[in-house]
Amino acid sequence: YFWYGYKMHGAVDAEHGLFLSVKTTPANVADNQCFKELVSGSAEMVMKVKKAIADRGYDDGDLFEWLKHEKIRCAIRMKDSRMKYEGWKKLSEQPWYKASLKERYKIERSHAWGKNSHRLQKSRAIGLNKTNLFCWFVALAVNMKRLLKILFSITFNAELLRKPAFA
């Protein structure tokens, strides 16, 4: 059996595609409610966060202000309704903002690997704590694969492992 109803939020290093922090919540929790904790967790444990890139689910005026206070560049894709206002429109026209949005695929790629290769879209665990543990293992597996690729140029291909060695 598989269980739905939970969501993994992850902070990913755009340069390397490594998960820096992970939080699991019930599916009804909005993305923007976990943002500060993910960014703060990444900064405390790993590195100074210089730029935050996210999709429209994280578009929240309070987050923009918080990022400004923390001296983190904000590259959250803004909702169309926000573009009516001059200040937001000015931000969206900045060259660094446009360039940052083009990097978002690197973050989404790590989440897609978790979903497609490690069954992240559905969990075998029941309960938030067990699902959280499952999500951390998925993030660890994705990170291990990325590190093999980065350090040794080894590409992990699950299809090759499924084929018998001697046919």
Side-chain angles (χ1 to χ4, degrees), residues 7 10 29 56 67 69 145 149:
K7 185 171 18 175
V29 173
R56 285 185 172 112
L67 288 168
H69 178 265
K145 288 179 183 181
K149 176 75 172 169

Side-chain angles (χ1 to χ4, degrees), residues 13-80:
D13 170 36
E15 184 178 350
H16 301 102
L18 298 171
F19 280 99
L20 302 176
S21 80
V22 171
K23 179 165 177 64
T24 308
T25 64
N28 64 348
V29 173
D31 292 342
N32 61 358
Q33 293 180 3
C34 301
F35 186 81
K36 291 179 186 178
E37 187 176 340
L38 289 170
V39 173
S40 298
S42 300
E44 288 173 13
M45 296 181 351
V46 184
M47 63 180 68
K48 171 72 175 132
V49 177
K50 297 175 187 168
K51 178 173 42 176
I53 305 170
D55 61 25
R56 285 185 172 112
Y58 293 90
D59 182 1
D60 180 342
D62 292 338
L63 293 181
F64 286 99
E65 290 300 319
W66 180 78
L67 288 168
K68 188 176 181 180
H69 178 265
E70 295 292 318
K71 297 178 177 61
I72 299 172
R73 280 194 155 178
C74 177
I76 297 173
R77 184 174 291 280
M78 291 181 268
K79 296 176 184 168
D80 295 335

Side-chain angles (χ1 to χ4, degrees), residues 12-18 101-111 113 146:
V12 177
D13 170 36
E15 184 178 350
H16 301 102
L18 298 171
L101 291 181
K102 290 180 182 177
E103 291 183 59
R104 206 176 111 235
Y105 79 91
K106 297 174 185 175
I107 296 163
E108 297 299 330
R109 177 178 58 192
S110 295
H111 287 280
W113 286 331
R146 287 296 303 145

